[in-house]
Amino acid sequence: MILNDSKIIGTGPDFFGLSAYGEHAILTVNNLTMNAKGKNSKTVEVDKDAQVNIQNGSVITTEGAFSPAIQLTQKGRLNVSDSAIKTLGKNSATFYVAPGNSEQKSVAEMTGGSLEASGDLILSQGGTMDVVLNQVSVSSPGSGYLLNVLNSNSGQTGEVNLVLNDIKEPGVELEKKQTLRGIFLLLKAVRLT
């Protein structure tokens, strides 16, 4: 499915924007403006080996608390190019990977455009994801971290492999190509007495 030159606005809590589900599902959006204003909302969900392409000047925004812009689960594949993803509400990540089997790794790749979060920029709560950012303008996270990797409440270990290529702060020119690669794994030990 292809969606061109559209505007979607969700005003209430628990708004759910676009979803792609299943291995043959491919959703492409060009010049889409989407805004989820209520708490516990999400604009895009990519699940079960589906693919979403966000491109050509799209602007994806969430304003409510606990409202990730994009949620990936179970081999979800996301490609973003020349678009902006922004969260304004408390504890709202731009990319969120939900709990899942570590063999069900999701992948997000972004080229050009910008990321700005009021919470964590990238958040895993027991999910596994590769994130590649190429020439993306990244604003400092508001109340969160660039990358926050946690275990889920059910004990699934979060894991994120992050690759940053030519990342820049808005308004600051790069002097030379800079690349940072690494696997970020956080194990949370719980002691029962």
Side-chain angles (χ1 to χ4, degrees):
M1 181 171 143
I2 299 174
L3 186 62
N4 293 317
D5 304 317
S6 300
K7 183 180 242 183
I8 300 171
I9 298 174
T11 57
D14 303 306
F15 172 77
F16 188 77
L18 300 174
S19 177
Y21 181 91
E23 67 180 296
H24 299 292
I26 299 175
L27 172 62
T28 299
V29 298
N30 295 293
N31 193 31
L32 169 71
T33 298
M34 183 183 288
N35 190 340
K37 296 179 180 248
K39 68 178 184 175
N40 298 317
S41 296
K42 58 186 144 199
T43 53
V44 179
E45 181 181 53
V46 190
D47 195 2
K48 298 258 193 220
D49 209 25
Q51 179 176 326
V52 170
N53 305 305
I54 299 171
Q55 53 200 26
N56 299 326
S58 293
V59 178
I60 308 294
T61 306
T62 64
E63 295 183 27
F66 306 102
S67 297
I70 299 173
Q71 178 175 310
L72 294 104
T73 310
Q74 302 180 53
K75 291 187 175 180
R77 292 171 294 153
L78 173 70
N79 298 302
V80 180
S81 62
D82 300 320
S83 296
I85 301 172
K86 183 177 189 176
T87 62
L88 302 173
K90 181 179 177 185
N91 297 321
S92 297
T94 54
F95 295 146
Y96 169 72
V97 62
N101 182 330
S102 63
E103 296 173 8
Q104 301 289 315
K105 182 186 291 188
S106 294
V107 177
E109 183 166 358
M110 184 169 181
T111 301
S114 63
L115 291 174
E116 182 179 341
S118 63
D120 300 320
L121 206 63
I122 301 164
L123 173 62
S124 168
Q125 287 184 309
T128 303
M129 177 169 57
D130 288 344
V131 178
V132 180
L133 303 178
N134 300 300
Q135 300 174 342
V136 176
S137 176
V138 177
S139 294
S140 300
S143 62
Y145 299 96
L146 170 69
L147 175 63
N148 193 359
V149 182
L150 306 169
N151 290 341
S152 70
N153 291 337
S154 60
Q156 293 169 306
T157 302
E159 180 179 330
V160 174
N161 181 31
L162 176 63
V163 178
L164 305 172
N165 294 310
D166 291 340
I167 302 303
K168 64 180 183 174
E169 186 176 347
V172 177
E173 293 297 319
L174 290 174
E175 293 180 18
K176 61 181 178 177
K177 185 174 180 177
Q178 300 170 340
T179 301
L180 171 64
R181 297 178 186 270
I183 296 176
F184 299 86
L185 175 64
L186 176 66
L187 299 174
K188 183 178 177 184
V190 177
R191 188 169 155 190
L192 300 174
T193 55

